[in-house]
Amino acid sequence: MATITIDRISKSFGSVQALKGVSFDAKNGEFVVIVGPSGAGKSTTLNCIAGVEYPEMGTILIDDQDVTLMPPQDRDVAMVFENYALYPQMSVRENLAFPLRSPKYRVDEDEITKRIERVSGLLGIDVLLHRLPRQLSQGQRQRVSLGRALVRDPKVYLFDEPISHLDAKLRNAMRRELKLIRASLSQTTIYVTHDYLEALSLADRVVVLFKGEVLQFDQKEKIYNLPAAMEVGQLFGDPPMMFFEGKADENDSFVSNDRAFSLSNSGISGEVPVGTEVVLGLRPTEVNLVPEGKGQVKGKVYSVQNQFDHQLITIKAQNSLFDVVAAQDVSLSEGDKAWVNIPNEVCYFFNKETHKVIGSK
Ligand code: ADP
């Protein structure tokens, strides 16, 4: 068990500033997921915790010990990569036992057998222990790779996109299994992914990393319900959050710049002066199509996409496009008139320059 504290770490590669003062922490036994688009600095952060890279500024504490410049082998940290190479000439059992037999760990054979039984049972590979890696499917190899790290029983686990290149079906299955594995791990874990569903399914808390900066570090529910920045709103949600530029106007209203719609009682007036340019964020799952004259937006159906269990209907009003997730029985065709209702409680307002959320909902 361990606590981890990352305090304002920065790291550059030549002219690329990969991390710009990244801070977050993990409590004893907590599962923290770092999520962000490619190039955000996720792997660099993990590598700094593992000791594979050293930050130029800031500190990393494990259990209150400063490990910032400590060599990786002294940190008692196990890192799991997706393409963890297995030894081709060794059976699954030998592959699992190998790290434990190294002079550094010197685990005795009874204990090795016990750990292999526990981990192979957990991963559902107990019937494959005698096989060679080439006799395994991609998904089975993946589990053995995970198993190689899990048998180590370190203070801290670090996972770097362990399932990102599996095909969609296998990924879903592994996501489910990781959730089970996660429940039986008592170690503090930092897990990196670019997949927001993986983050929401596994995390206690989520770090949203973007261009080397932490945009939000919060409970996963808050990341979705109270996004701190436009990028967080866009990253978490499918279809992604839509954005509309406009101004705060008299009587607590918001008026879109293209005059396609205005919202009264928007909640913006207490936050910024009248005339301030703001960006409104809306989720396609939280706005709805309503009968004639009821909604704030009047437009025309621009496109209808059938998605089997729902439809994604896009409404065009002036220059604004509204994606609305609608039930299958809504009958609208391209060119039809349509009205969109925007409930006040689903409006997120952001600063146009900084992209940060305005006020608190
Ligand atoms: P992520 O894991 O979020 O995709 P990375 O941490 O791999 O992001 O990379 C962050 C930034 O740092 C990127 O711009 C990447 O190109 C750069 N970078 C990472 N590692 C190196 C390296 N060894 N040499 C040069 N640039 C690197």
Side-chain angles (χ1 to χ4, degrees):
M1 299 285 267
T3 58
I4 304 171
T5 309
I6 314 296
D7 189 17
R8 288 166 290 171
I9 59 168
S10 294
K11 172 79 188 167
S12 297
F13 298 100
S15 61
V16 178
Q17 217 188 333
L19 303 179
K20 305 169 191 166
V22 166
S23 298
F24 63 94
D25 64 279
K27 300 186 191 113
N28 233 337
E30 196 177 20
F31 202 106
V32 172
V33 177
I34 306 177
V35 64
S38 173
K42 303 182 296 296
S43 294
T44 306
T45 305
L46 215 59
N47 288 341
C48 287
I49 304 171
V52 186
E53 304 275 5
Y54 298 116
E56 287 118 25
M57 285 204 292
T59 49
I60 299 172
L61 307 180
I62 298 182
D63 271 346
D64 295 329
Q65 184 184 13
D66 187 341
V67 300
T68 317
L69 300 175
M70 187 185 271
Q73 64 273 18
D74 297 337
R75 297 187 184 201
D76 200 11
V77 159
M79 186 128 165
V80 187
F81 304 95
E82 184 183 27
N83 51 359
Y84 206 122
L86 300 174
Y87 297 105
Q89 75 285 12
M90 289 187 192
S91 68
V92 168
R93 178 184 289 281
E94 287 163 341
N95 263 289
L96 292 175
F98 189 80
L100 302 176
R101 293 201 177 113
S102 80
K104 181 167 163 51
Y105 299 113
R106 290 176 189 282
V107 180
D108 72 45
E109 287 300 316
D110 282 352
E111 175 65 18
I112 290 179
T113 306
K114 241 192 268 170
R115 288 201 203 170
I116 289 177
E117 273 170 20
R118 185 179 65 81
V119 167
S120 61
L122 186 65
L123 294 169
I125 52 172
D126 38 357
V127 293
L128 308 172
L129 289 173
H130 60 284
R131 291 206 199 165
L132 292 172
R134 67 180 150 77
Q135 298 168 313
L136 303 175
S137 70
Q138 190 197 8
Q140 290 167 336
R141 247 177 269 155
Q142 183 71 34
R143 285 162 211 229
V144 179
S145 300
L146 278 174
R148 285 251 312 239
L150 297 181
V151 289
R152 282 232 351 239
D153 205 18
K155 267 193 193 170
V156 172
Y157 282 120
L158 304 175
F159 289 86
D160 193 358
E161 307 232 19
I163 61 171
S164 65
H165 294 106
L166 297 179
D167 66 46
K169 206 168 136 211
L170 208 50
R171 239 177 113 89
N172 271 337
M174 277 308 283
R175 204 188 278 149
R176 214 167 36 234
E177 289 183 24
L178 276 169
K179 179 111 186 136
L180 293 176
I181 294 168
R182 182 227 175 295
S184 70
L185 287 183
S186 55
Q187 282 91 345
T188 311
T189 301
I190 314 277
Y191 185 106
V192 159
T193 180
H194 64 273
D195 178 344
Y196 84 97
L197 284 178
E198 219 166 290
L200 292 179
S201 128
L202 294 169
D204 294 317
R205 284 190 293 170
V206 176
V207 180
V208 185
L209 207 56
F210 194 81
K211 294 186 177 164
E213 288 182 67
V214 175
L215 291 183
Q216 193 165 0
F217 173 43
D218 234 325
Q219 307 290 342
K220 60 182 167 190
E221 296 77 13
K222 289 210 180 138
I223 298 278
Y224 188 82
N225 294 324
L226 298 169
M230 287 167 66
E231 291 78 6
V232 181
Q234 200 161 39
L235 205 57
F236 285 79
D238 186 24
M241 189 176 266
M242 311 173 276
F243 297 108
F244 304 92
E245 292 191 357
K247 283 189 189 68
D249 208 345
E250 302 288 346
N251 304 323
D252 193 23
S253 64
F254 165 85
V255 182
S256 71
N257 281 350
D258 63 359
R259 304 255 152 202
F261 65 104
S262 67
L263 306 174
S264 51
N265 303 317
S266 68
I268 191 71
S269 74
E271 311 292 348
V272 293
V274 167
T276 308
E277 296 260 7
V278 296
V279 178
L280 167 69
L282 295 172
R283 293 190 195 278
T285 45
E286 294 179 338
V287 293
N288 33 63
L289 295 165
V290 284
E292 180 167 353
K294 296 267 185 200
Q296 301 95 330
V297 183
K298 178 186 171 195
K300 279 197 170 159
V301 177
Y302 183 72
S303 75
V304 177
Q305 295 175 62
N306 203 314
Q307 313 257 347
F308 300 112
D309 60 341
H310 67 271
Q311 305 180 73
L312 184 62
I313 301 182
T314 306
I315 310 297
K316 185 166 188 195
Q318 306 295 346
N319 297 323
S320 298
L321 289 175
F322 290 83
D323 292 329
V324 184
V325 171
Q328 281 294 28
D329 58 1
V330 173
S331 166
L332 281 173
S333 311
E334 281 162 28
D336 286 353
K337 284 184 190 157
W339 283 262
V340 181
N341 182 51
I342 304 170
N344 282 338
E345 63 274 17
V346 304
C347 295
Y348 298 93
F349 291 105
F350 300 96
N351 181 304
K352 195 179 163 190
E353 304 303 321
T354 64
H355 293 192
K356 298 270 158 64
V357 77
I358 295 170
S360 55
K361 283 174 74 75

